[in-house]
Amino acid sequence: MKHISKANLFIAGCSIIAGIASCTNPQGNSNDQNKKTSLVEDSLQKYVDERLAIYETVKLTTNINDLTVSERKILPLLIQAAKIMDELFWQQAYPQRDSLLNSIKDEKTKSFVWINYGPWDRLNGDKPFISGIGPKPDAATFYPTGMTKDELKNSDVKDKYGLYSVIKKDSTGKLSSVPYHILFATELQKASSLLKQAALLAEDEGFKKYLNLRADALVSDNYTASDYAWLDMKTNNLDIIIGPIENYEDKLFNARASYEAYVLVKDKVWSKRLAKYVSMLPELQQGLPVEAKYKKERPGTDSELNAYDVVYYAGDCNAGSKTIAVNLPNDEIIQQKKGTRRSQLKNAMKAKFDKILVPIANELIDKDQQQYINFDAFFANVMFHEVAHGLGIKNTITGKGFVKEALQEQYSWLEEGKADVLGLYMVTGLLKKGELEGDIKQFYTTYMTGILRSVRFGAASAHGKANMQCFNFFKENGAFIRNDNGTYKVDFLKFENSMNKLSRLILTLQGNGDKVAVEKTQKEKAVISAELQSDLDKLTKKGIPVDVIFEQGVDVLGVK
């Protein structure tokens, strides 16, 4: 791992971060200077102390007695491979980690660096919390420092917007791309070897095939065959999602993928309950509340909807807000041909429900509606969010190619917003058809509470932006009212109408591939008002966590 020296990490003198203070007199009295620096450090320390408290620690465990002897031997190998993904994500997000940590004396600040994979607070708009660290660069480490969008666009680089490469600039200013499998060759070879070892022990043939193909993919950057093999798995008890997957960290183009891993143990009982819903996608697609041209695609149905206990998070998925459900692969062609696998991370989901969502409801939901807060409704809302990624439109109707390509850095937040509202649309439709049990009031009230939970992830998060948009849109359309005491009350009829209107808006924006219109929508709707922020501050004052961090690994699981 390459490290930048301590001298390069910290700007000399008095560069002060996050709007807390600034220093404009470098020639001034050194005692005054020291006092100012001390005040800033004290302020930052207070900030870290307060922000560290927003996380609740959760142990990631499962019943290993349900696993075979060979599966218990496989788990440590998968966790070792996942740890390598964690190291690779550090190299992508903040390769100066060790130099930074060595310069910090306070243990709480070190802990906060580990949580955020760097010196920027991911759940507070990437605000710097280390003195001397500037704003987080949109380019991360995927592009040369100072490179403009036009500079790459006008270059002759073949792999300009590739998922699995970085852009480098030589001494003459010429740009080129370097594939991940070359840049991270040593680490990826180790991870590949661990997956091969796990494959030798695997009893399930589908899982064995996937592990071998994924091992090959890590060292070649060719993930297609392993993605298909992953979708073909039906009878596996263990699973690992591993590799460069999501684009959230690349805020310049939303093009390049970051490394992550989840190690999973299937919950067979819940998975069986979920199996029927994927087959209903084509019918639900046709019923979408939008013009026919925006729903002409047929979603793939040859995929699975499963529930898992997650026993290890690594890399991108462990940074900032923790994922509680996964819809993969992201490849639009594979999605259209084969579908996706929707993985519900049930133990992590239950932890967030108990420790975060219920306390939020007790504080911010109308007293008469608190009775409708329900884990099965929360589980279904999250589950159908992931299923809903398969609905809608992947190709623009305006000849601009895939929606993702047309919207670039504006894609992720709008896609998450689409999945949120279409997931609710699916719940509503399935309840009316008698295919889902429960009271619509439970789903809508729990969804409303879920919005209040997720907006706390902040403007730096795609999920945070999506929920801000939903909150503001629903408010404008009367889907809920804010009582005089600061609690929220759902209007169930207007909630459904607002859901349909927002679904139509998002699907139209995606289908048109109109990036300018999406940017305008983000600036107008994906914002937190002063009133909402005041209500969210109540949650912090009450000590209600924003998110979770994990105790995880072989020792926690009891496997060696």
Side-chain angles (χ1 to χ4, degrees):
M1 182 183 295
K2 295 180 180 179
H3 301 296
I4 294 179
S5 70
K6 187 174 175 181
N8 288 334
L9 275 173
F10 296 97
I11 301 170
C14 54
S15 175
I16 305 306
I17 294 309
I20 295 173
S22 63
C23 180
T24 57
N25 182 19
Q27 305 301 321
N29 183 282
S30 61
N31 287 333
D32 290 342
Q33 189 65 46
N34 290 336
K35 286 180 182 178
K36 288 180 180 180
T37 302
S38 179
L39 284 172
V40 170
E41 290 176 351
D42 288 344
S43 298
L44 290 170
Q45 185 62 59
K46 184 174 183 292
Y47 176 84
V48 168
D49 291 347
E50 291 174 349
R51 295 295 293 169
L52 198 56
I54 72 171
Y55 291 94
E56 179 80 15
T57 301
V58 173
K59 282 189 176 182
L60 288 181
T61 60
T62 192
N63 185 3
I64 63 171
N65 293 325
D66 290 342
L67 303 179
T68 66
V69 174
S70 64
E71 285 169 343
R72 291 182 215 178
K73 292 179 180 177
I74 289 171
L75 271 180
L77 295 171
L78 301 183
I79 289 171
Q80 287 180 57
K83 287 181 177 180
I84 294 173
M85 298 303 107
D86 205 65
E87 288 298 319
L88 290 178
F89 181 66
W90 268 107
Q91 291 191 45
Q92 293 179 308
Y94 197 76
Q96 310 94 324
R97 177 193 68 190
D98 292 352
S99 297
L100 176 62
L101 289 171
N102 288 336
S103 71
I104 299 171
K105 295 179 181 179
D106 178 65
E107 292 301 320
K108 287 186 177 181
T109 303
K110 287 184 179 181
S111 295
F112 207 50
V113 169
W114 281 107
I115 289 171
N116 286 284
Y117 288 79
W120 300 284
D121 187 350
R122 290 175 177 267
L123 298 192
N124 191 21
D126 285 327
K127 180 176 180 177
F129 57 86
I130 302 290
S131 178
I133 298 291
K136 185 177 183 181
D138 289 344
T141 58
F142 301 115
Y143 309 94
T145 302
M147 186 203 77
T148 65
K149 287 186 175 183
D150 286 341
E151 193 176 350
L152 182 60
K153 182 180 179 181
N154 298 328
S155 73
D156 59 0
V157 176
K158 292 182 180 179
D159 192 27
K160 291 180 183 178
Y161 311 115
L163 270 172
Y164 312 124
S165 67
V166 298
I167 300 297
K168 298 286 188 180
K169 181 185 287 189
D170 66 18
S171 58
T172 67
K174 183 176 175 58
L175 299 177
S176 63
S177 68
V178 181
Y180 285 177
H181 73 271
I182 292 176
L183 188 66
F184 306 121
T186 302
E187 296 91 337
L188 291 172
Q189 188 58 58
K190 289 178 182 177
S192 177
S193 177
L194 287 164
L195 294 190
K196 293 280 188 180
Q197 291 177 55
L200 290 172
L201 294 169
E203 299 162 314
D204 184 85
E205 289 302 316
F207 188 45
K208 182 189 291 287
K209 180 180 179 181
Y210 165 64
L211 287 172
N212 279 316
L213 288 173
R214 202 65 175 182
D216 294 339
L218 287 173
V219 294
S220 68
D221 290 328
N222 185 358
Y223 288 90
T224 302
S226 65
D227 280 342
Y228 278 114
W230 186 65
L231 291 175
D232 286 336
M233 290 193 307
K234 305 295 182 184
T235 56
N236 56 303
N237 291 329
L238 301 183
D239 197 357
I240 182 169
I241 298 169
I242 185 168
I245 296 171
E246 302 291 358
N247 311 106
Y248 303 133
E249 198 71 10
D250 176 4
K251 290 183 168 61
L252 197 63
F253 289 105
N254 197 64
R256 292 181 151 80
S258 299
Y259 283 96
E260 66 181 4
Y262 306 81
V263 180
L264 307 169
V265 178
K266 187 179 289 184
D267 184 321
K268 295 179 183 178
V269 175
W270 273 75
S271 293
K272 189 175 181 180
R273 288 171 59 181
L274 307 179
K276 65 178 181 179
Y277 295 117
V278 174
S279 63
M280 300 177 183
L281 279 176
E283 181 182 350
L284 289 162
Q285 172 85 349
Q286 291 307 306
L288 290 173
V290 71
E291 291 180 60
K293 60 185 177 181
Y294 294 100
K295 55 183 178 182
K296 61 185 178 181
E297 297 175 6
R298 181 179 175 84
T301 59
D302 186 19
S303 56
E304 292 211 328
L305 184 59
N306 296 123
Y308 296 88
D309 280 341
V310 55
V311 296
Y312 204 86
Y313 283 77
D316 193 25
C317 62
N318 197 41
S321 58
K322 308 303 184 294
T323 305
I324 52 177
V326 184
N327 175 64
L328 292 170
N330 286 328
D331 188 307
E332 291 92 344
I333 295 173
I334 297 176
Q335 288 182 7
Q336 290 174 332
K337 287 183 178 179
K338 189 80 172 176
T340 59
R341 183 187 298 276
R342 286 89 175 184
S343 305
Q344 313 303 305
L345 312 184
K346 185 168 168 279
N347 57 341
M349 201 180 295
K350 187 67 165 65
K352 289 200 181 191
F353 178 81
D354 291 341
K355 297 180 182 298
I356 303 174
L357 192 121
V358 171
I360 288 174
N362 291 338
E363 190 67 26
L364 292 184
I365 296 299
D366 182 88
K367 188 176 181 180
D368 292 338
Q369 293 187 345
Q370 290 176 12
Q371 61 183 304
Y372 301 128
I373 303 301
N374 177 276
F375 177 69
D376 284 357
F378 180 60
F379 185 90
N381 286 342
V382 175
M383 173 179 70
F384 287 113
H385 165 105
E386 298 306 330
V387 177
H389 277 298
L391 293 177
I393 193 164
K394 303 297 179 187
N395 287 286
T396 63
I397 65 169
T398 52
K400 296 180 181 178
F402 286 122
V403 174
K404 186 175 183 178
E405 295 171 349
L407 298 185
Q408 292 184 330
E409 78 279 1
Q410 294 295 327
Y411 171 78
S412 289
W413 81 268
L414 191 65
E415 174 62 20
E416 295 303 332
K418 181 204 82 172
D420 277 341
V421 72
L422 291 191
L424 192 64
Y425 155 80
M426 291 184 69
V427 165
T428 304
L430 291 170
L431 281 169
K432 289 179 179 179
K433 288 166 60 69
E435 297 288 355
L436 189 65
E437 295 181 359
D439 184 340
I440 192 66
K441 293 179 180 179
Q442 293 177 330
F443 293 92
Y444 284 2
T445 308
T446 302
Y447 184 92
M448 180 69 211
T449 313
I451 293 174
L452 295 170
R453 178 183 72 88
S454 296
V455 294
R456 298 175 82 200
F457 295 154
S461 159
H463 295 85
K465 288 189 182 82
N467 280 274
M468 289 175 204
Q469 180 199 32
C470 187
F471 179 90
N472 289 318
F473 189 94
F474 276 36
K475 181 181 180 181
E476 289 172 9
N477 286 273
F480 59 84
I481 61 170
R482 183 180 182 274
N483 297 323
D484 291 339
N485 65 354
T487 59
Y488 293 85
K489 186 173 185 177
V490 175
D491 183 316
F492 297 107
L493 179 59
K494 290 182 179 179
F495 214 80
E496 182 174 351
N497 293 336
S498 299
M499 169 193 76
N500 289 329
K501 287 176 68 175
L502 183 56
S503 298
R504 188 178 304 115
L505 171 66
I506 292 177
L507 289 170
T508 302
L509 286 170
Q510 288 189 325
N512 292 343
D514 190 343
K515 185 180 174 185
V516 173
V518 177
E519 287 175 334
K520 184 173 184 289
T521 300
Q522 182 196 325
K523 289 176 181 177
E524 293 177 353
K525 303 296 184 194
V527 294
I528 295 180
S529 67
E531 181 180 73
L532 174 57
Q533 187 60 58
S534 175
D535 293 334
L536 297 178
D537 289 344
K538 294 178 189 175
L539 304 178
T540 303
K541 291 174 183 176
K542 288 281 186 178
I544 298 172
V546 175
D547 207 39
V548 293
I549 52 177
F550 302 117
E551 287 183 30
Q552 58 180 2
V554 293
D555 292 337
V556 175
L557 281 173
V559 295
K560 300 294 182 183

